[in-house]
Every structure is written in C-alpha cells, then in structure tokens.
Amino acid sequence: MSFRDRQYRTCMRELAAIRILDDLRRWQNAHNRRTCQALWALPARQPDRKETGQ
C-alpha cells in the first residue's frame, strides 16, 4: 500500500466519522424537538379533587 493509499484511507475514515457524528447530532436534535413538542402538547394540570374549599 502506497503512501497516497494510506492517506486516502485515513481521509475517508475521518469523513465517515464526521458524517456519523453529524447524523447522530441531527437525530438527537430531532428527538429533543419531538420530546419538547410532546411535553408542550400535554394538557394543563387537572385537579385531583374539587379544590373549592368547601
């Protein structure tokens, strides 16, 4: 294997790692967004019992 081949393989490995990390970050952001949207969509707190003081 020549020097250029080793350089090329190292470069390809680094690019693959960058793509994987980008995909992971994108998935994590989407997951966080979905979690926030789900929490936002929850109904307001409902009292467990009548809280009129009677």
Side-chain angles (χ1 to χ4, degrees), residues 23-38:
D23 287 345
L24 183 60
R25 248 181 249 114
R26 200 173 303 117
W27 177 87
Q28 197 171 28
N29 289 338
H31 177 73
N32 290 342
R33 196 174 321 110
R34 282 191 305 270
T35 302
C36 286
Q37 288 170 348

